[in-house]
C-alpha cells in the first residue's frame, strides 16, 4: 500500500490541474489546485507542532450550484485518519457558502489541521467536489497530494524516547494532584 501511494503523490506540496483535465473537471465544477502550507510556505514537510493548512482552488461552472469541498486524510497504510467538508456539521466556523447558490467563478476553500494533532509520518489527501440538492460527487481525486509530519523531538524528552504509537499525537492537558501523603 505504501509503495502504491508513494507512486501517486505530488511533489513539492502543490498539485495543479488544467481545465482540460477530465479527471478534475466537468460541466458543473473543476478542481484547479491543492496545496499544503505550513505558515505561509507551500511545503510537503510540516513540523509536528505547526498547523497544516490545506488550500483547495476550484471553479464553479454553473450559476446557482451549491458546491461542497470534501477532504479525506489517509495515513501511509491507506487508513482513513479523518474526513471533513465545508458543511455546518464538520466546520467549526460558519459554512459561508453552504446552501447558498454560488455565482460562476473561482474559489479557494481552506481547511486547517492544528499542530500537535498528527503523529509523525506520511499522509495523503483525497479530494472531492460535490454539488448539493441533491448531493452528488462531481470530481473525486484519490491521493491528490501528500505531506509528511516531521517529529521535532519535543515529546521524546523527558520520559519517553521511542516513537509514539498511533496516528494522532495530540498534546492533552494533564494535572496530578496529591490526595493523601504519609509524610
Amino acid at each position: 500500500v505504501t509503495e502504491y501511494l508513494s507512486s501517486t503523490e505530488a511533489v513539492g506540496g502543490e498539485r495543479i490541474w488544467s481545465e482540460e483535465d477530465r479527471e478534475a473537471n466537468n460541466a458543473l465544477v473543476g478542481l484547479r489546485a491543492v496545496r499544503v502550507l505550513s505558515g505561509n510556505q507551500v511545503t510537503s514537510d510540516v513540523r509536528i507542532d505547526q498547523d497544516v493548512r490545506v488550500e483547495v482552488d476550484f471553479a464553479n461552472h454553473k450559476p446557482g450550484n451549491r458546491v461542497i469541498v470534501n477532504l479525506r486524510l489517509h495515513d501511509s497504510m491507506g487508513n482513513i485518519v479523518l474526513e471533513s467538508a465545508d458543511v455546518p456539521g464538520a466546520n467549526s466556523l460558519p459554512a459561508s457558502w453552504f446552501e447558498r447558490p454560488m455565482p460562476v467563478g473561482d474559489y479557494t476553500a481552506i481547511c486547517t489541521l492544528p499542530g500537535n494533532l498528527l503523529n509523525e509520518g506520511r499522509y495523503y489527501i483525497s479530494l472531492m467536489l460535490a454539488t448539493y440538492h441533491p448531493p452528488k460527487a462531481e470530481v473525486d481525486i484519490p491521493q491528490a497530494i501528500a505531506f509528511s509530519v516531521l517529529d521535532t523531538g519535543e515529546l521524546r524528552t523527558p520520559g519517553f524516547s521511542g516513537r509514539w504509537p498511533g496516528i494522532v499525537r495530540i498534546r492533552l492537558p494533564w494535572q496530578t494532584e496529591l490526595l493523601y501523603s504519609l509524610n
Side-chain angles (χ1 to χ4, degrees), residues 101-112:
M102 300 171 91
V104 170
D106 294 331
Y107 297 81
T108 298
I110 301 169
C111 179
T112 302

Side-chain angles (χ1 to χ4, degrees), residues 72-151:
R72 184 176 285 169
L73 185 68
H74 306 266
D75 69 7
S76 63
M77 296 302 295
N79 299 308
I80 298 171
V81 176
L82 64 86
E83 184 166 347
S84 192
D86 188 12
V87 297
N91 192 343
S92 63
L93 301 171
S96 55
W97 284 100
F98 185 74
E99 296 227 334
R100 285 183 50 207
M102 300 171 91
V104 170
D106 294 331
Y107 297 81
T108 298
I110 301 169
C111 179
T112 302
L113 303 169
N116 292 312
L117 171 68
L118 298 173
N119 205 350
E120 65 181 311
R122 194 80 173 149
Y123 296 90
Y124 301 85
I125 296 173
S126 297
L127 292 173
M128 182 189 315
L129 296 180
T131 51
Y132 189 68
H133 285 310
K136 181 180 179 225
E138 300 292 343
V139 173
D140 191 357
I141 309 287
Q143 294 89 32
I145 196 166
F147 67 96
S148 292
V149 174
L150 307 176
D151 188 358

